[in-house]
Amino acid sequence: MIILLLTTQEKIGERMAARLRSKYNYIVQTFTNARRFFEASYEEGPSRIDLLMADYLSFLNDELNPFEKMVEMEKVFPFIYYNTPFAKQGHRAEYWYNKISRHIRSYIPDERVSGLIRLFLQIDELISSPDIQPYVRLLNEPPEINDEGESDAEEDRKLFLESLKAQYGIHNSRFRVLEYLYDRIGEDVMEEDICNDLWNEYSERKTGVLYSYISELRKLLSSGNTVAQPGGASAEQTDGLGTGHSKGQRLLIQRSGKRCYRMVICQGEPEKLA
């Protein structure tokens, strides 16, 4: 999939684009200028671009109407406002599909419009994620992103991971894998992505190393030992993650599919490894 993204929030736009690239392997290009956004799309043409995705606020102070402009140029693309205020979480995919059907379906084959539904569901899930939704204008009143130093949440994350490392004596090489999975907690992560991102190499040798590291980490996290937290409490006495989770919760690494892993938060006693 090739997606062009127009946003008035550059940092959030880049965060969204990065997630679409890493999770779905889509090609995503971001813009903050509406005219450059459309110029790039016209240069590529409708046969190459799968979706134009724009911030609802991009055109409020501009004479440019995206639907009229596309028709005028005789280059019509599937187009959505990713932060439309008129549809709620879980209903955005249907809304975008119906919007395209009403406005530009006569210019685009039906099968192409229907083929976008899966992508719309993925985008709805993306902008509903807890690290993106709070910052997207029109969906929420956005808090400021702190550019000066690390946020409290980032500091808590580092403290927790370092406490795990110290408690279990995790070697730096294994710790990189632990940190990678923790930063994608709840997501299915392919072994190919892990190898390429951590070592810039996907080979039989590297997958063997990865299997070994994950096996060690799974045993450690499932061992039943509590983890000392900043301030002296343990994982069973505090939320255990520095992120507001209830006490008694632990981290586990699951095999979520063929060549695929997922780090999850589990409640209660450690489970035995399969």
Side-chain angles (χ1 to χ4, degrees), residues 225-251:
N225 294 333
T226 59
V227 178
Q229 296 295 304
S234 74
E236 292 185 344
Q237 295 169 322
T238 69
D239 78 297
L241 297 173
T243 54
H245 301 292
S246 62
K247 68 179 181 178
Q249 294 181 330
R250 299 172 179 274
L251 294 178

Side-chain angles (χ1 to χ4, degrees), residues 186-199:
E187 297 181 15
D188 292 330
V189 185
M190 300 298 296
E191 68 175 34
E192 180 177 358
D193 294 331
I194 302 174
C195 291
N196 284 331
D197 289 349
L198 292 184
W199 302 304

Side-chain angles (χ1 to χ4, degrees), residues 216-233:
E216 290 182 31
L217 291 170
R218 293 183 74 199
K219 289 176 182 176
L220 288 174
L221 295 174
S222 301
S223 66
N225 294 333
T226 59
V227 178
Q229 296 295 304

